[in-house]
Amino acid sequence: KNKNKVSFVDFSIQNQVLAGDQIGRYVEAFGGEAGISVTGHAVPPFCEAGDTVHFRDDIVLRDGGIFSEITGMMDFNHNVIRVVPIKTINRPLNSKTINVDGIIIVYSSVLNCKITATNDVYLHGLVSDSDISSMGFVYFMTGILGSTSKVQSTYDIFSPFVHDVAMTSLKGNIYIAYECLHSTIRAQGSVIIENSFSDGSIFSETGIRVLIAGNSRSGNKTILQLSTEHKEKDERITLDEELKEAEAELRAHFAEKKRYEIRNFAHNKQRLKTDPIYVRYLKNERAITLRLQKIHSQITSIRSFIADRVSQILVTEAVHAGTIIKINNKELTIPHNETYASRFTEGSFGISRNEYV
């Protein structure tokens, strides 16, 4: 294989480790330094001394190194480093139910099976009439088909082709390298199909891109639907709740600090600067203030994103008559076959369609 090329069809595992392997080096955390803003004001460090990562039981620290005690795949999430166990199956699976705490890799075909994993799923052979559920990513190396097939993943899903499948990514994207037919595709992120999509529906909260949409000869509906309102509303509600909690915490902190100051240093405020409890109050106050600044920044970013957002569906080669385009609460049915690239966006009075170059 050419080392300077990346294959988007051959999904190989890159971060597998063996029991006893050193996977890193441990360095004690140290505090950041204060900086200066463009207006000349002091900016406190975002990282306090003592902020650190945590290790699961399958990781051991020895002589400054980080070692894995089991064979598996590395995982780093929410400041926790761990090695996820891997279950490997080399034989064809037929009418099996498999539950895995970790990652599962099947190197052969899967027929009429139910597979559930708490982490990623890698299926190398053809998957037919099966139910696949993952709390991580799902990779189909050959493809999946069958009217009873269902796929649900917390994060991204990759497949060369998809036929007659109900496929859902709760928090990620869906990427199909070739074609997708007679299927229902749902993703919180983007849906990208590098070839044709017809006789089914796509629902995305971020964006849709397909090469060819619809099939005017089949008589079945092809629906491309984009809805961003629900996602933005959820993000705003979550941040507003976090902001209220942080503001209430800061008010309570100010009141408690003031009571301590009056109770202990009413007549000698100079001693406040060296009192360890009061210094801790100041440190906590700075941490809460930084959290408030971060939340305010996120709210500003979301408002800017909403104002500047262009929700779009791209059909990069052809769209067939009868294809239904939906963006939020607006809908457009394509009246006749068009053989040029199209960009569909939400306009003031409906869905706008422009030639895409």
Side-chain angles (χ1 to χ4, degrees):
K1 294 181 181 179
N2 190 333
K3 294 182 179 179
N4 296 320
K5 299 281 186 176
V6 176
S7 171
F8 294 99
V9 177
D10 179 16
F11 300 110
S12 58
I13 300 171
Q14 301 296 327
N15 59 345
Q16 187 168 350
V17 298
L18 302 176
D21 280 355
Q22 181 173 349
I23 59 176
R25 187 168 59 90
Y26 182 74
V27 179
E28 289 287 347
F30 55 89
E33 296 181 357
I36 299 176
S37 70
V38 292
T39 59
H41 295 92
V43 178
F46 282 93
C47 177
E48 298 287 349
D51 288 350
T52 185
V53 296
H54 304 280
F55 303 95
R56 289 280 293 270
D57 294 339
D58 41 55
I59 299 289
V60 62
L61 303 181
R62 186 172 62 248
D63 300 326
I66 306 171
F67 295 85
S68 172
E69 292 197 315
I70 66 171
T71 296
M73 289 180 66
M74 280 188 58
D75 181 72
F76 179 67
N77 199 9
H78 300 298
N79 279 357
V80 177
I81 295 178
R82 62 175 182 159
V83 175
V84 182
I86 298 176
K87 180 178 180 62
T88 302
I89 300 175
N90 295 301
R91 66 183 187 280
L93 294 179
N94 191 339
S95 302
K96 301 288 186 182
T97 298
I98 300 175
N99 297 300
V100 175
D101 182 11
I103 294 167
I104 182 169
I105 305 174
V106 182
Y107 287 102
S108 193
S109 60
V110 177
L111 172 63
N112 193 29
C113 293
K114 180 177 177 61
I115 297 176
T116 304
T118 60
N119 212 286
D120 301 342
V121 174
Y122 297 81
L123 303 172
H124 286 253
L126 180 64
V127 179
S128 307
D129 294 306
S130 295
D131 187 343
I132 312 297
S133 179
S134 164
M135 294 177 66
F137 295 80
V138 175
Y139 299 84
F140 296 97
M141 313 307 187
T142 301
I144 179 170
L145 53 82
S147 58
T148 61
S149 287
K150 293 188 296 182
V151 182
Q152 180 170 296
S153 175
T154 301
Y155 300 110
D156 295 353
I157 303 173
F158 303 84
S159 183
F161 73 86
V162 175
H163 288 187
D164 278 323
V165 179
M167 179 176 285
T168 302
S169 173
L170 299 176
K171 296 183 179 180
N173 310 298
I174 294 177
Y175 176 83
I176 300 171
Y178 301 116
E179 66 179 12
C180 178
L181 305 173
H182 304 282
S183 298
T184 301
I185 309 296
R186 301 179 66 89
Q188 188 182 73
S190 298
V191 176
I192 298 174
I193 300 174
E194 297 291 6
N195 206 296
S196 59
F197 175 81
S198 68
D199 306 318
S201 60
I202 297 176
F203 177 90
S204 168
E205 295 186 20
T206 304
I208 298 171
R209 191 187 81 203
V210 302
L211 183 73
I212 301 170
N215 182 352
S216 55
R217 297 178 181 178
S218 71
N220 298 319
K221 285 186 177 180
T222 299
I223 301 172
L224 308 182
Q225 183 173 357
L226 180 63
S227 176
T228 59
E229 295 174 338
H230 177 72
K231 181 179 178 181
E232 291 158 3
K233 182 180 179 181
D234 285 349
E235 289 177 344
R236 291 198 302 269
I237 290 173
T238 300
L239 286 173
D240 286 342
E241 291 174 350
E242 290 182 10
L243 182 63
K244 289 178 182 178
E245 290 177 2
E247 288 175 341
E249 185 178 346
L250 188 61
R251 286 194 298 271
H253 177 81
F254 277 142
E256 185 179 343
K257 185 183 74 170
K258 190 66 176 177
R259 286 194 297 270
Y260 180 80
E261 181 181 335
I262 294 172
R263 187 167 60 247
N264 297 281
F265 300 96
H267 304 294
N268 190 357
K269 292 190 176 182
Q270 292 297 321
R271 289 177 52 204
L272 279 173
K273 296 180 181 180
T274 57
D275 180 70
I277 297 178
Y278 191 77
V279 169
R280 196 180 307 127
Y281 273 121
L282 294 178
K283 184 178 179 180
N284 292 339
E285 181 180 311
R286 182 171 61 179
I288 299 171
T289 303
L290 285 174
R291 198 161 95 243
L292 278 169
Q293 291 174 354
K294 184 178 179 181
I295 295 171
H296 277 296
S297 176
Q298 288 175 305
I299 291 174
T300 302
S301 296
I302 287 179
R303 287 173 178 164
S304 175
F305 169 75
I306 294 171
D308 299 337
R309 183 199 74 224
V310 179
S311 302
Q312 61 183 13
I313 297 173
L314 299 180
V315 183
T316 57
E317 185 172 296
V319 57
H320 289 275
T323 301
I324 299 171
I325 307 294
K326 295 182 178 182
I327 301 180
N328 292 325
N329 60 347
K330 300 178 175 66
E331 181 176 320
L332 170 68
T333 300
I334 304 302
H336 47 75
N337 294 341
E338 297 289 355
T339 55
Y340 60 85
S342 300
R343 183 205 304 270
F344 300 94
T345 57
E346 184 179 16
S348 301
F349 302 101
I351 295 176
S352 301
R353 180 182 178 185
N354 301 293
E355 187 170 353
Y356 175 69
V357 180

